[in-house]
Amino acid sequence: MDTLMKVFVCTDNYFLYKGIICSLSERLNCHFIWINDINKPSFELSELKQQDIVIILTETNLIDFYFLIKLCKCQCKIIMASNEQNWLLNIMFNFIMINSHFYLSDLLLAIYSKSNQNFYAQYPKFTRQEKKVLFYTSKGHSVSAMSRYLEISEKTIYQHQRNALNKIGMDRPRSVVGLPKNFLEFLFHKHN
């Protein structure tokens, strides 16, 4: 028995969800499911099948990193809208990334693209100092404060900060606030 493909649309915006349904329902033979709180999904990840699609249209900093790790292990196609072009989640999880201001054609291209998803997370490798500097950067500490606290020069702090940001695909320290919830804590505790 062939089961109908499910498209899980993760957004807290009801009108965006309805717009996607109206736009895609004539083009896809599927069942749409609205997930209005991605951190408390109304489905079990084990329910996802290979033909299913998860579309994440939630601000990245509202997403729990541990949920993304579990989602990565599912064998379905995952499409994520993001403001950042070359960003960490694409590097780590090989999600299909689209711009947050996407057109219907962008979404359809992502849906019909052949996914070469890895189904495992590839974490960037940081030195101990890069992790500390990235963690303190995310908490809003200045370079001079980090220099005093870590007892290393400001020039070295800048270098560690630049290296860490490059590894997560970001070029500005203020972009760190857009990372998923718990990501930095995960890195900080996982690799210490």
Side-chain angles (χ1 to χ4, degrees):
M1 183 171 142
D2 202 36
T3 60
L4 192 64
M5 174 177 71
K6 295 177 188 169
V7 176
F8 297 86
V9 181
C10 304
T11 180
D12 58 354
N13 185 329
Y14 175 77
F15 298 107
L16 179 58
Y17 168 71
K18 283 305 217 181
I20 287 176
I21 287 178
C22 290
S23 301
L24 295 179
S25 61
E26 293 181 12
R27 293 169 175 85
L28 296 175
N29 182 23
C30 63
H31 177 67
F32 291 95
I33 300 166
W34 181 31
I35 308 300
N36 62 357
D37 185 354
I38 194 166
N39 296 313
K40 295 178 185 170
S42 57
F43 66 96
E44 290 295 321
L45 293 175
S46 59
E47 294 175 30
L48 292 173
K49 306 292 183 226
Q50 191 169 5
Q51 74 268 14
D52 294 339
I53 298 173
V54 177
I55 303 172
I56 303 173
L57 306 173
T58 302
E59 291 295 324
T60 311
N61 61 336
L62 301 177
I63 302 171
D64 183 69
F65 185 71
Y66 294 103
F67 174 77
L68 293 176
I69 291 172
K70 292 175 189 170
L71 188 61
C72 176
K73 294 177 183 176
C74 299
Q75 296 189 4
C76 65
K77 185 178 288 191
I78 302 162
I79 301 168
M80 182 174 224
S82 173
N83 288 329
E84 299 288 334
Q85 293 287 344
N86 302 318
W87 128 199
L88 170 72
L89 293 183
N90 189 30
I91 295 167
M92 288 178 54
F93 298 122
N94 203 14
F95 291 164
I96 299 169
M97 303 299 282
I98 59 175
N99 192 300
S100 61
H101 302 290
F102 61 90
Y103 294 101
L104 176 60
S105 59
D106 299 328
L107 189 54
L108 286 170
L109 281 171
I111 289 170
Y112 289 118
S113 71
K114 293 193 185 267
S115 177
N116 58 348
Q117 193 167 339
N118 293 327
F119 309 122
Y120 60 90
Q122 301 175 6
Y123 307 110
K125 297 193 184 322
F126 297 94
T127 65
R128 183 177 300 273
Q129 293 291 51
E130 287 170 351
K131 284 186 280 187
K132 288 179 182 178
V133 168
L134 187 61
F135 184 79
Y136 291 125
T137 299
S138 73
K139 300 298 182 194
H141 294 273
S142 68
V143 170
S144 60
M146 285 187 273
S147 175
R148 285 190 306 275
Y149 180 71
L150 297 174
E151 298 177 348
I152 53 180
S153 73
E154 288 185 18
K155 183 178 177 183
T156 305
I157 294 289
Y158 278 117
Q159 186 62 45
H160 288 315
Q161 192 176 58
R162 189 171 27 257
N163 290 343
L165 291 172
N166 284 339
K167 290 177 182 180
I168 59 174
M170 295 181 169
D171 58 354
R172 294 187 181 104
R174 68 176 177 251
S175 300
V176 173
V177 297
L179 290 171
K181 288 190 309 187
N182 304 326
F183 172 68
L184 292 176
E185 289 82 358
F186 170 82
L187 278 181
F188 200 68
H189 296 300
K190 177 179 177 11
H191 298 291
N192 276 340

